[in-house]
Amino acid sequence: MLPDPIRTKTFTLDIYIKLAQYPILADEIRERMRQELFRRGVISDAKFEDEVRQKAIESQLREGLYDPFSQEPAAIWQERLSRIRDYHTDFYFGYNLPADLFNEIVQEVLRRQYQQTPPADTFELTFNPELAPWEMLFRQGERYEALPPPHRDQYSHHLEEMKVVLIKGMISDQLPYIGVAKRVFTVADLRQIHSRRIGTGKIGGKAAGMLLAWKILQQHDPEVGADISQHVSIPDSFYLATDVIYDFRRINRLDRDMNQKYRPLDEIREDYPRVVATHLNGRFPEDIVEQLRDALQEFGGDPIILRSSSLLEDNFGYSFAGKYQSYFCPNQGSEKENLEAVLDAIRRIYASTLNPDAILYRQKHGLIDYDERMAILIQRVRGKAYGRYYFPTLAGVGFSQNPFRWNSKIRREEGFLRLVWGIGTRAVDRVDRDYPRLIALSHPELRPETSARAIRQYAQHYVDVIDLEDNAFHTLPVNQILSSHYPELPYIASIDKGDYLQDFVSRTSLAPGDPLVLTFDYLTKKDRKFVTLMRTILTRLEKTYQRPVDIEFTVDVLPGYPYPGYKIHVLQCRPLSQREEERVEIPGNIPLPDVLFRTYNLVPDGKAEGIRYVIFVDPRHYRHIPDQTIRLELARAIGRLNKRLENEPFILMGPGRWGSANIDLGVRVTYADIYNTKVLIEIAIAGEDGVPELSYGTHFFQDLVEAGIHSLPLHLEDPRSYFNWYFFTESPNLLAELSPQDADLAQHLRVIEVPAAANGRYARVLMNGVSDEAIGYLDGR
C-alpha cells in the first residue's frame, strides 16, 4: 500500500516529495513516468533530452561557469544532467498526467521489486540481486536456506550470489575475504550483523575478521576437525559503519583535512595536533547519537572498548597493526558521562586516520589514493570484576606460524602465543619493563628462559585493568592485585622460593609473604586442554584462510574437575603477512677479522647484501645518557637519516627494544623513522634490568615484516655470540656530513660508510632459521 498522499499546492511538488520516500526505486519510477510521457505524446524523447541539456547549460552559467564546455569535469556534467532530467520528469508529469496514473506506476514498481512472490512451487530468482534492496535479499535468501538440503542445492548459485552482494555492501569488498566468507556465513548471520550496524556503509576490517573467524570456528563439519564451537565465542558488539565518518566531517566542516595525506610528512606531523583538536570539537548526527545511546543501554554497566575498524585494517596483505587508535570506556559514570566518553573515543579514532604513521604506512604500501573510511567496532569487554578491578583472566595474541624458535625442537607450523594476565594490551604492544609469557604450541614447556632467575626476570610484572571505582583504565603492579584470594591463582602463578619456582599445588602451600611469579605453568604442564584448544583454533583458521593468521583473544577459565574448562573469546583475526625467504647457508670459512657480528637464537631466514651504511647506537653509552631529551632526539635524528639514506642499503643497530615506549629500554622510534632499513638489529646487552625482550610477535614486529625489514636479535650475553666492537666504535663517523643538524649527537649515534672503512668492501648479513644462526661480515663481492 502507498502511504496517504501528502497534499501540496501543485501535483509536481507532490511527485517530488513522494519520490523522496522511495530513494532506491525513484530512478525506476521516473523511467516509467518518462515512458508514459513519450507513449502518450506529451513530449518526444529527443525533445525532452534537448530541453534537459539546455537547462543543464543554463544552470552552469548561473553557477558561474562561463565556459561550460571545458570548465566542468565529465562526471559532474553527467551528474548535473541526471538531476535536471529528474526535475524535468516531475514537472512534465505533474502538469500533464493525472495523479492516479502516478500512483499506478509506483504500485507497479513496488509489486515488481518488493511484493512479487513466486508461486509456492517455484523458487526461481525474479530480480537482479545487485540492484535489489537488501531486505529483499534477506527474505529470498532465508527462503532458500529454509529448504531441505536436496532442494536447496538447486538454488545454491542464487543463494551464493545474494550472500556475495550482502557481504560486499555491508562487510568487505576484498575478493579474498569474500571468497572465504561466502562459504561460511549464512543469510541469518548477515541479517544479525545488519541488525547491529549503526549508520550506513561497511563495518570495517577488524569487525569483518572477527566475525569470519567466529563462523569458521563454529563449523561442525568433521572434515575441519573436532567440534570446538562450544569453546569459542566473540564479544557482544555493535558496528559504527563507514559512512558515519563522512557525515561527521561534513557537518563539522572537516573535509579540508582529507588532503593531509598528500602533504609532506613533516607538515602532516606538525599539523596533526590541530587535526585532533578540531575532531574533538565535532558533533554527531542526532540519529547516530540515539543509536549509540541505545547500544550503551544494552551493554548495561559493563566496560566497553571502541576499536578502530577501517576498510584497510586486517586486510589480506596489509594488517595496519596498531596504526589506528582504540579506547577503553569503563562505562561507570552517569548515562550522559558514558555517552560523552564514547563520542570522545569515536572522535579520537576518526582523527587517528590522519596520523603521520598511518599515512606513511599507506604511502609505502601504495594505498595513499585509497579512500580510507573508518568504521568502529564497539565491544563489551570480556572479563569479570575482582574487587574494584575488572579484567579477563587471560588475554593475548596467537600466531598460526612461529617466526622464531628458541629451541630446535619447536615446530614453526604449530604457532605460538604471547599470553598475559589481565587486559591484553601488554601482549600486543612493546611495554616498559614487562614481558608476556611466550608459549610455543608444539612444545609448550620449552621456555626461552631456562633458570629460575631468568623466568622471574622475564615474567609479567604489571597488569592492565579497568578500575571500576575510578572509572578509568590503569596499569598496576601485579603484586598490588594478585593475592592468595584470587580465584584463578593456581592456573597463572608459581611460588617464588628463591633458587627455584614451585608449582602451585594448593592455597595451603602458599605461606604468608611468599612472592608469586606469573608463569602460567599450569596451562603448559598439568593441563594441556588450553594448548590443544589454541592450536586447533589457529590451525583451523589458517586452513580456511589458506594463509597464516594471527588472532587477539581473551580467555575465561571455567570451574571443572579435575581440570577447568576454557572459553576463548576471539577479538580479532587477520591474515598474517610473511616473507617467503630463500634458505641461506652460513659459510664456515669467514676470517674472524672480517666478521662484524655473529648471533644465535630467535633468528629468522633471510639475507641482506651490498650494505653500504650502518647506523649504530652504542648500547653501552645509551643506558648512561642522563638527559631524556637527548634520547628522544636520537629517534628524530635516526628518522632524518632514514630519509637521507632511502636509496642506499643500510642496516640499523642499537639497544633493544627499538620502538619501546620506555626510552630507558630502547630508542623510541616509530615506523616513520626506520622504514628504509634492510635489517633492524636489536642488541641485547645485560644490565641492571637484564636483557630486554625483543620485538617478535608485537605490532612493531608486524610492521617490519610487511615493510620487508628483517628483525634480528643480537644476544651479546650468549657466549657463542661475537661482536666486533672495534669496527663499530672506531670507524669514521659520517653523521655530521650526512645530517649536519645532528652533529652534536655524534657521541651517541654513529653512521659508518662500510666501503670507506673496509677497503671498498660492503657488508653482508646472512640468517639461517634452521641452524638458528646469523652472521654479519665484510664481503668483497
Side-chain angles (χ1 to χ4, degrees):
M1 289 290 293
L2 285 171
D4 291 336
I6 302 173
R7 298 300 178 188
T8 61
K9 293 182 179 180
T10 70
F11 180 38
T12 297
L13 188 54
D14 255 355
I15 290 173
Y16 178 78
I17 294 175
K18 281 187 178 181
L19 286 177
Q21 299 175 43
Y22 303 97
I24 303 302
L25 296 180
D27 288 345
E28 185 171 351
I29 292 170
R30 284 192 171 103
E31 178 60 32
R32 283 287 294 113
M33 290 163 62
R34 286 192 289 273
Q35 291 173 7
E36 289 299 321
L37 288 169
F38 305 152
R39 187 176 69 83
R40 294 168 183 263
V42 174
I43 188 173
S44 69
D45 187 346
K47 189 173 189 309
F48 181 87
E49 286 300 322
D50 283 344
E51 290 183 5
V52 168
R53 177 180 170 79
Q54 185 57 41
K55 289 185 176 298
I57 293 172
E58 292 171 0
S59 71
Q60 286 180 315
L61 295 172
R62 279 193 295 272
E63 292 182 354
L65 298 182
Y66 298 106
D67 185 4
F69 299 104
S70 64
Q71 284 186 274
E72 188 163 69
I76 298 178
W77 166 248
Q78 292 301 322
E79 176 68 17
R80 185 184 297 275
L81 284 175
S82 177
R83 294 187 185 186
I84 297 294
R85 187 177 294 111
D86 288 347
Y87 303 149
H88 215 44
T89 301
D90 299 349
F91 170 80
Y92 265 103
F93 200 101
Y95 274 90
N96 293 282
L97 298 176
D100 288 346
L101 178 60
F102 172 76
N103 290 335
E104 287 177 11
I105 290 172
V106 174
Q107 288 176 325
E108 172 196 330
V109 173
L110 286 173
R111 279 195 303 272
R112 184 164 63 250
Q113 293 291 337
Y114 289 106
Q115 299 170 350
Q116 184 183 48
T117 302
D121 59 348
T122 180
F123 286 84
E124 285 302 324
L125 207 58
T126 59
F127 57 87
N128 183 348
E130 293 282 358
L131 303 177
W134 286 0
E135 180 57 33
M136 196 172 184
L137 298 180
F138 284 130
R139 288 206 307 264
Q140 187 71 3
E142 287 162 350
R143 292 184 72 221
Y144 287 141
E145 289 186 339
L147 293 171
H151 198 187
R152 185 193 313 148
D153 291 344
Q154 300 177 40
Y155 306 101
S156 61
H157 57 295
H158 291 322
L159 180 59
E160 181 175 334
E161 182 179 10
M162 285 185 286
K163 288 197 290 186
V164 167
V165 171
L166 289 168
I167 291 167
K168 286 193 302 183
M170 187 169 56
I171 303 178
S172 173
D173 54 12
Q174 296 176 36
L175 294 181
Y177 181 92
I178 295 170
V180 178
K182 69 181 182 182
R183 302 198 307 268
V184 299
F185 281 131
T186 65
V187 173
D189 296 328
L190 297 172
R191 186 184 278 280
Q192 173 66 13
I193 294 168
H194 183 260
S195 72
R196 310 288 283 187
R197 194 179 60 148
I198 298 174
T200 61
K202 296 181 178 66
I203 62 175
K206 271 197 185 122
M210 176 192 73
L211 290 162
L212 183 57
W214 173 69
K215 277 303 295 183
I216 290 170
L217 298 173
Q218 292 299 301
Q219 291 179 299
H220 303 284
D221 187 347
E223 291 188 5
V224 301
D227 180 5
I228 58 172
S229 58
Q230 297 304 309
H231 302 286
V232 182
S233 182
I234 56 176
D236 297 335
S237 304
F238 286 88
Y239 318 104
L240 187 66
T242 51
D243 289 353
V244 179
I245 193 172
Y246 281 154
D247 294 334
F248 176 80
R249 285 178 170 155
R250 176 181 53 80
I251 65 178
N252 293 292
R253 299 181 179 179
L254 297 174
D255 288 333
R256 66 188 180 92
D257 287 334
M258 294 309 296
N259 68 0
Q260 289 284 104
K261 62 185 182 181
Y262 294 113
R263 298 173 63 186
L265 188 63
D266 290 344
E267 292 183 15
I268 295 172
R269 198 187 305 278
E270 183 179 350
D271 199 36
Y272 186 56
R274 180 200 61 79
V275 170
V276 174
T278 55
H279 276 70
L280 290 177
N281 289 326
R283 59 186 180 87
F284 292 85
E286 281 303 316
D287 62 320
I288 298 300
V289 174
E290 283 304 311
Q291 291 179 75
L292 289 169
R293 184 179 284 113
D294 292 343
L296 279 174
Q297 290 178 353
E298 186 162 331
F299 286 132
D302 288 345
I304 62 175
I305 181 173
L306 285 87
R307 300 163 64 91
S308 65
S309 185
S310 82
L311 291 183
L312 288 175
E313 282 186 278
D314 296 359
N315 197 312
F316 278 69
Y318 309 104
S319 73
F320 273 75
K323 290 294 172 291
Y324 300 134
Q325 299 299 318
S326 296
Y327 292 93
F328 287 94
C329 291
N331 205 28
Q332 303 301 302
S334 66
E335 179 179 320
K336 181 179 179 181
E337 289 170 337
N338 293 339
L339 177 60
E340 186 51 42
V342 166
L343 295 176
D344 190 66
I346 295 171
R347 295 181 184 107
R348 292 182 182 277
I349 294 171
Y350 282 172
S352 74
T353 62
L354 299 172
N355 81 74
D357 260 12
I359 291 175
L360 176 66
Y361 182 94
R362 291 171 60 189
Q363 288 175 345
K364 294 299 292 182
H365 291 288
L367 301 171
I368 197 64
D369 297 324
Y370 187 85
D371 182 18
E372 171 68 310
R373 284 176 282 163
M374 177 62 73
I376 294 175
L377 175 57
I378 307 172
Q379 294 179 318
R380 191 192 307 269
V381 175
R382 296 301 314 183
K384 57 185 178 181
Y386 177 60
R388 65 187 287 175
Y389 304 114
Y390 185 96
F391 54 92
T393 304
L394 301 168
V397 290
F399 299 79
S400 66
Q401 293 286 326
N402 188 348
F404 292 107
R405 300 183 306 164
W406 48 87
N407 188 293
S408 60
K409 296 179 181 179
I410 291 172
R411 294 187 292 273
R412 295 178 188 269
E413 66 274 13
E414 294 191 31
F416 84 110
L417 308 179
R418 292 171 61 92
L419 193 67
V420 298
W421 179 51
I423 290 172
T425 42
R426 309 192 79 71
V428 299
D429 296 324
R430 311 190 79 194
V431 291
D432 55 338
R433 290 189 174 86
D434 216 7
Y435 310 91
R437 170 69 195 271
L438 301 183
I439 300 175
L441 293 175
S442 68
H443 292 78
E445 292 187 42
L446 292 177
R447 303 183 60 121
E449 313 85 14
T450 55
S451 67
R453 177 180 177 277
I455 292 172
R456 183 186 305 114
Q457 179 176 319
Y458 299 127
Q460 179 184 348
H461 302 291
Y462 295 86
V463 59
D464 289 341
V465 299
I466 292 173
D467 189 324
L468 300 175
E469 293 184 14
D470 282 355
N471 194 26
F473 178 92
H474 285 322
T475 297
L476 300 171
V478 163
N479 58 19
Q480 184 173 324
I481 301 179
L482 191 64
S483 72
S484 61
H485 303 293
Y486 181 65
E488 284 78 35
L489 181 65
Y491 312 125
I492 64 173
S494 298
I495 303 171
D496 188 354
K497 294 296 186 178
D499 293 337
Y500 68 97
L501 299 177
Q502 177 181 304
D503 290 343
F504 204 103
V505 179
S506 68
R507 295 181 193 275
T508 58
S509 64
L510 185 63
D514 272 350
L516 297 167
V517 179
L518 290 176
T519 61
F520 307 98
D521 280 351
Y522 180 92
L523 305 174
T524 60
K525 293 181 179 179
K526 294 184 180 180
D527 179 11
R528 293 294 186 88
K529 284 192 300 183
F530 172 71
V531 168
T532 301
L533 178 59
M534 293 305 304
R535 188 191 301 124
T536 302
I537 288 171
L538 291 166
T539 299
R540 184 172 301 178
L541 290 172
E542 179 177 304
K543 183 177 180 180
T544 307
Y545 269 77
Q546 297 185 330
R547 64 193 73 198
V549 300
D550 72 67
I551 65 171
E552 294 182 22
F553 62 89
T554 63
V555 184
D556 293 339
V557 180
L558 309 175
Y561 183 84
Y563 300 111
Y566 303 97
K567 185 84 168 186
I568 311 298
H569 302 279
V570 177
L571 311 180
Q572 181 176 336
C573 177
R574 61 181 172 229
L576 181 63
S577 297
Q578 62 174 6
R579 291 183 293 261
E580 293 293 333
E581 294 288 354
E582 175 187 353
R583 184 64 48 78
V584 299
E585 296 298 327
I586 306 294
N589 57 350
I590 303 173
L592 185 60
D594 291 343
V595 177
L596 300 178
F597 62 83
R598 188 185 293 270
T599 185
Y600 300 84
N601 202 9
L602 300 173
V603 173
D605 285 315
K607 62 183 178 180
E609 299 179 292
I611 299 164
R612 182 175 179 182
Y613 291 98
V614 175
I615 300 175
F616 175 65
V617 179
D618 192 324
R620 301 170 304 179
H621 292 171
Y622 182 82
R623 70 178 61 188
H624 298 299
I625 297 175
D627 190 339
Q628 302 285 60
T629 304
I630 294 177
R631 295 188 183 189
L632 291 173
E633 190 55 31
L634 275 175
R636 305 289 74 78
I638 289 170
R640 288 185 282 269
L641 288 168
N642 176 73
K643 181 65 176 174
R644 174 70 173 79
L645 299 176
E646 62 181 338
N647 296 316
E648 298 284 357
F650 71 92
I651 62 174
L652 183 55
M653 307 178 69
R657 317 173 189 177
W658 285 108
S660 173
N662 185 333
I663 57 177
D664 292 334
L665 300 181
V667 185
R668 191 187 294 178
V669 292
T670 67
Y671 175 78
D673 299 315
I674 62 162
Y675 61 87
N676 284 319
T677 189
K678 299 299 182 186
V679 186
L680 183 72
I681 299 175
E682 302 190 302
I683 303 174
I685 184 169
E688 294 178 1
D689 299 313
V691 181
E693 179 216 17
L694 304 177
S695 69
Y696 47 90
T698 62
H699 285 166
F700 187 78
F701 172 76
Q702 189 67 10
D703 276 348
L704 305 182
V705 173
E706 292 179 0
I709 300 169
H710 294 284
S711 176
L712 180 64
L714 178 51
H715 301 278
L716 295 188
E717 84 289 353
D718 187 330
R720 299 172 298 170
S721 296
Y722 172 78
F723 190 71
N724 189 335
W725 285 104
Y726 182 84
F727 179 86
F728 291 106
T729 59
E730 300 301 324
S731 296
N733 187 356
L734 272 68
L735 177 63
E737 178 182 332
L738 292 174
S739 185
Q741 67 188 99
D742 298 312
D744 57 345
L745 295 173
Q747 178 183 353
H748 314 291
L749 178 63
R750 300 181 59 81
V751 183
I752 302 166
E753 185 178 13
V754 179
N759 298 318
R761 292 179 292 173
Y762 288 75
R764 192 181 195 204
V765 178
L766 301 179
M767 295 162 278
N768 187 310
V770 174
S771 63
D772 215 15
E773 176 186 4
I775 187 169
Y777 64 98
L778 300 172
D779 183 21
R781 288 173 292 174

